[in-house]
Each structure stands twice: as C-alpha cells, then as structure tokens.
C-alpha cells in the first residue's frame, strides 16, 4: 500500500518528460508484486532486470482481466472492483482498485486539463444500460463529475428522452456550458426520435462508445454525422476509456484523441503481438501509469492509427477478438 501511495503522489505532480523513468519504475515493481504479470513474464522468458527501455516491456493481453485478479498487492488491500459491461453469457472484466477516491480525483484532473473547471459545466449523463448494473467505472466517473459541477441541473438520464430535451431547453441560454455525456446507442436513439433540436451554442456532446447490440454496427463517421446533424454541431467529442484502464483520453472532433500525460499508445504488428508495427496503424498497446496498482502495460484488442500530429484514431476491433461490452461502436 505504501508503494501505491508513493506512485499516486508522483502522478499528481507528473510531467511528460518523466514518463519513461516512471514507466520503468512501475514495471520493475509490477514484475515482482503482480503474480499474474510475473507468471506471464516468466512464460516469455523475460528477466525484468534486463529491461531498460520502455519499448522492451512486454504488454499483458487484456483478456487476463476476464480470468484473473490482476493486482500488484494482496487482494485484501483493494476496496472493490469495476466490471465491464457485456452481452448475456459473456465473461466480463474485473479491474480491482485500491482507492475509488483516487480514481475519481484522477479522472477529474484529466478532464479538467482538457476542458477547464468542471464547475463551468452542467453535466447531463445519458447512460442507460450502464446505470442498470453495478460496478461501472463510467457511471462512477460521471457521478463524480455531476457532484463536482455543483449544479442543480446536473444529473443522470436513463430512457427519459422528454425530460432530457426539456432540460436542454432550460439550459439553452445559460452562461455555463452543457456537457451531454452519452453512451452512443442512446444518443443515436435520441437523434432518431423524430424530435426537432434548435441550435445550442453552449452544448458539447460527448459519446463514450457503447452500442451494446442495440443497433446495427456503424462506422464512427456515420455516427458522428448523424449526431452533428441532429444537434446542429460542427463536432462531436468522444471519450476513450475502458474498465481495464484508470485513465481516459478525449477527442474534440474527428475521432482524434489527445493522450493524457499518464498514457502512451504504442502500435504493434497485428500478426505478431511482440513486434512493433512498421506502419502508423496496427494493434493498440497502452501504457497507463495510473494502473500502478494492477498492470500498467496493456495489450488491447483495438485497432488504431497514430497520425502525424501524434493523435490517436481508434479504428475498431481486431478480427476474431471478443467484442468489448463498453465499446461496441465499430470505428
């Protein structure tokens, strides 16, 4: 637990130039203290003391979160876990956390570094399905944002579209900005409801992914075009996060994500998970330093591309991979 507190304090004062040294420090710690990661490294024949570059760190396949407690301490030192959504019969991921308060404070710091103070917003969270189950990290984050906004207008919405539309009408000319944070299928349901929506200059619509088998698969451009048309906006914002990560990345349009200081994306060859791609496109490996309590080096099943501007585009899922419940949107 002392190591967790030490890492958490370092991340509060974290600056990007420290990324590699802190990543290597966390790797050395987890290679010993995380039983699952330790066994994985042993199976690969990796000697942790030989690793002196971030590029040489092995990434743990995300599937391990479905089958094992991925923790870097005794399980008794963890408060609880977040669980992923999933269709009936699907094995869901569990991400144990040592401090929910730290996760919530960290998530708010990342948001405010991109968008400014949460108190400048009314937060309307349209998260059906996620609200109907326990253990969602997205719901926990949204609830924290709602409370920290200190707005009587902030709140959750399930399937009550009429109430949401009335609230947006009330806030149309408010001096605060309005953040409509919504799961993708629910935003599309609203857009296809046949209602009219007047232009609203203080509105930001942010989709979080999540089709959950509710609608036919659509590419990101189709989804964003439909939402831009309905809400009369020039851009749709997006949040990229998952149960297995403590950090989130944000896009302010065109599906291009600006990675926070605590995260780094590395693109791997989809045919060889232990080789880096020679192109800008491939499988997404993520280092999330905020995962110091679990595993900070995650091999996801997402496809991505790094642009010349250094921003990440998420292109979809790797063929034959299990669909992740919290992001069934095919990019």
């Amino acid at each position: 637990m002392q190591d967790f507190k030490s890492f958490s304090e370092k991340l509060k004062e974290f600056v990007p130039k420290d990324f590699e040294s802190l990543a290597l420090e966390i790797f050395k710690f987890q290679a010993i203290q995380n039983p699952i990661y330790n066994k994985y490294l042993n199976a690969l024949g990796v000697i942790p003391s030989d690793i002196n570059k971030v590029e040489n760190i092995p990434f743990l396949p995300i599937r391990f979160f479905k089958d094992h407690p991925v923790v870097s301490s005794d399980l008794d030192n963890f408060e609880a876990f977040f669980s992923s959504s999933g269709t009936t019969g699907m094995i869901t991921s569990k991400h144990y956390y040592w401090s929910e308060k730290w996760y919530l404070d960290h998530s708010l710091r990342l948001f405010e570094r991109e968008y400014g103070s949460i108190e400048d917003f009314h937060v309307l969270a349209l998260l059906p399905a996620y609200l109907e189950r326990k253990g969602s990290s997205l719901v926990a984050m949204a609830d924290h944002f709602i409370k920290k906004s200190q707005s009587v207008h902030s709140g959750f919405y399930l399937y009550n579209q009429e109430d949401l539309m009335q609230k947006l009408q009330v806030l149309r000319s408010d001096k605060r900005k309005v953040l409509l944070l919504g799961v993708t299928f629910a935003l599309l349901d609203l857009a296809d409801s046949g209602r009219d929506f007047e232009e609203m200059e203080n509105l930001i619509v942010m989709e979080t992914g999540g089709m959950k088998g509710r609608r036919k698969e659509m590419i990101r451009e189709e989804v964003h075009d439909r939402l831009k048309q309905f809400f009369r906006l020039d851009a749709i914002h997006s949040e990229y996060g998952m149960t297995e990560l403590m950090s989130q990345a944000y896009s302010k349009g065109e599906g291009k994500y600006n990675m926070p200081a605590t995260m780094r994306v590395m693109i791997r060859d989809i045919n060889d998970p232990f080789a880096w791609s020679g192109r800008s496109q491939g499988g997404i490996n993520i280092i999330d330093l905020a995962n110091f309590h679990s595993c900070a080096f995650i091999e996801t099943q997402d496809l991505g591309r790094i642009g010349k501007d250094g921003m990440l585009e998420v292109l979809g899922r790797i063929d034959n991979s299990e669909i992740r419940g919290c992001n069934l949107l095919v990019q």
Side-chain angles (χ1 to χ4, degrees), residues 5 17 43 78 90 117 143-144 170 201 203 208 302 322:
K5 292 177 181 178
K17 65 182 175 65
F78 291 78
M90 180 183 289
S117 173
D143 183 58
H144 189 58
V170 167
E201 293 184 358
L203 176 65
T208 68
D302 289 339
E322 189 173 1

Side-chain angles (χ1 to χ4, degrees), residues 199-252:
E199 185 175 352
M200 188 171 169
E201 293 184 358
N202 61 337
L203 176 65
I204 293 175
V205 174
M206 180 180 291
E207 55 94 4
T208 68
M211 296 297 273
K212 296 189 65 62
R214 303 296 184 96
R215 303 176 64 99
K216 73 178 183 68
E217 295 179 348
M218 301 170 66
I219 62 172
R220 176 186 53 77
E221 287 82 2
E222 288 180 301
V223 171
H224 284 208
D225 285 348
R226 181 70 190 96
L227 295 180
K228 284 191 289 187
Q229 180 183 24
F230 176 75
F231 289 106
R232 304 184 182 222
L233 294 169
D234 294 329
I236 299 297
H237 295 225
S238 303
E239 180 257 357
Y240 182 63
M242 59 186 75
T243 300
E244 300 87 354
L245 300 176
M246 290 285 110
S247 298
Q248 304 80 37
Y250 293 97
S251 164
K252 296 183 178 180

Side-chain angles (χ1 to χ4, degrees), residues 47-59:
I47 300 173
S49 59
D50 289 344
I51 302 295
N52 53 23
K53 293 195 303 183
V54 168
E55 291 78 6
N56 294 335
I57 294 176
F59 285 70

Side-chain angles (χ1 to χ4, degrees), residues 17-230:
K17 65 182 175 65
D18 295 333
F19 191 96
E20 295 212 4
S21 60
L22 188 51
L24 286 168
E25 183 181 349
I26 290 174
F27 167 73
K28 305 287 187 183
F29 168 72
Q30 293 180 342
I32 297 172
Q33 299 298 331
N34 185 320
I36 298 301
Y37 192 41
N38 177 269
K39 289 179 182 178
Y40 183 66
L41 295 176
N42 286 338
L44 296 178
V46 172
I47 300 173
S49 59
D50 289 344
I51 302 295
N52 53 23
K53 293 195 303 183
V54 168
E55 291 78 6
N56 294 335
I57 294 176
F59 285 70
L60 186 73
I62 201 167
R63 169 76 202 198
F64 279 80
F65 283 85
K66 295 181 182 292
D67 301 321
H68 307 279
V70 182
V71 292
S72 293
S73 180
D74 293 335
L75 207 53
D76 292 343
N77 290 327
F78 291 78
E79 291 182 358
F81 59 82
F82 293 125
S83 59
S84 63
S85 56
T87 56
T88 302
M90 180 183 289
I91 300 173
T92 58
S93 293
K94 292 181 179 180
H95 193 179
Y96 289 82
Y97 54 82
W98 73 286
S99 169
E100 184 178 39
K101 181 182 183 303
W102 188 88
Y103 163 72
L104 297 175
D105 290 345
H106 174 66
S107 296
L108 184 59
R109 281 196 298 271
L110 296 187
F111 176 85
E112 291 189 329
R113 285 172 184 170
E114 286 291 324
Y115 290 94
S117 173
I118 196 68
E119 293 183 16
D120 293 336
F121 290 86
H122 303 292
V123 181
L124 310 182
L126 180 62
L127 302 173
Y130 291 82
L131 286 169
E132 297 169 283
R133 66 176 183 84
K134 295 181 179 180
S136 167
S137 57
L138 175 60
V139 169
M141 182 182 78
D143 183 58
H144 189 58
F145 288 7
I146 287 168
K147 291 173 181 175
K148 287 296 184 178
S149 71
Q150 299 187 42
S151 164
V152 297
H153 297 290
S154 294
F156 283 105
Y157 292 83
L158 197 57
Y159 298 100
N160 43 340
Q161 293 181 348
E162 190 59 40
D163 292 344
L164 175 59
M165 293 294 284
Q166 290 177 5
K167 180 62 70 174
L168 289 170
Q169 180 64 32
V170 167
L171 299 175
R172 185 172 303 280
S173 301
D174 196 271
K175 63 181 181 180
R176 286 198 192 192
K177 291 170 282 190
V178 177
L179 173 65
L180 175 54
L181 178 70
V183 62
T184 305
F185 79 81
L187 290 172
L188 286 171
D189 286 349
L190 184 61
D192 293 340
S193 65
R195 294 177 169 86
D196 290 325
F197 190 86
E198 298 178 24
E199 185 175 352
M200 188 171 169
E201 293 184 358
N202 61 337
L203 176 65
I204 293 175
V205 174
M206 180 180 291
E207 55 94 4
T208 68
M211 296 297 273
K212 296 189 65 62
R214 303 296 184 96
R215 303 176 64 99
K216 73 178 183 68
E217 295 179 348
M218 301 170 66
I219 62 172
R220 176 186 53 77
E221 287 82 2
E222 288 180 301
V223 171
H224 284 208
D225 285 348
R226 181 70 190 96
L227 295 180
K228 284 191 289 187
Q229 180 183 24
F230 176 75

